[in-house]
Amino acid sequence: MADRDSIRQTLLQFLREDSAADLAIIEDTSELRGGLGLDSVDFVGLVMRIEGHYRIRLTREELEGLNTVGDLLTLVEGKTAAIAAIPNAAAA
């Protein structure tokens, strides 16, 4: 299971690699689209990287409710915790 701080660092790494923006820190209150300047394509790319990295699936319904970085962190944290709770999930 990934903790919130490690998820935040991974998110920051992905954003630095995929964006020209100089992001020193990401706050939970930062808006994904407005605050970080992500357009639809950027957001989809970020979601795909997160899904691949953590081996999770984020549904359209879950993504529609995301507004802030904190929302995304909470969602990913919950998904990784659910996977960690499944017996033998780490071996899969």
Side-chain angles (χ1 to χ4, degrees):
M1 180 180 98
D3 65 40
R4 193 174 189 88
D5 288 331
S6 69
I7 296 168
R8 182 188 313 277
Q9 290 308 311
T10 301
L11 178 61
L12 186 58
Q13 175 188 344
F14 290 163
L15 289 169
R16 284 182 180 149
E17 291 171 359
D18 295 341
S19 171
D22 182 23
L23 301 170
I25 190 166
I26 299 175
E27 299 290 335
D28 279 10
T29 56
S30 299
E31 291 186 11
L32 290 166
R33 290 167 184 86
L36 299 180
L38 300 179
D39 63 20
S40 299
V41 174
D42 295 331
F43 184 70
V44 169
L46 178 62
V47 167
M48 290 174 61
R49 289 194 71 183
I50 289 169
E51 288 178 329
H53 182 81
Y54 291 106
R55 296 182 177 195
I56 59 174
R57 175 79 169 108
L58 304 176
T59 67
R60 185 179 71 215
E61 291 79 17
E62 292 168 330
L63 296 173
E64 286 174 353
L66 299 180
N67 293 311
T68 65
V69 169
D71 296 338
L72 179 59
L73 294 174
T74 299
L75 177 60
V76 174
E77 189 175 28
K79 290 280 190 163
T80 59
I83 289 172
I86 299 171
N88 298 323

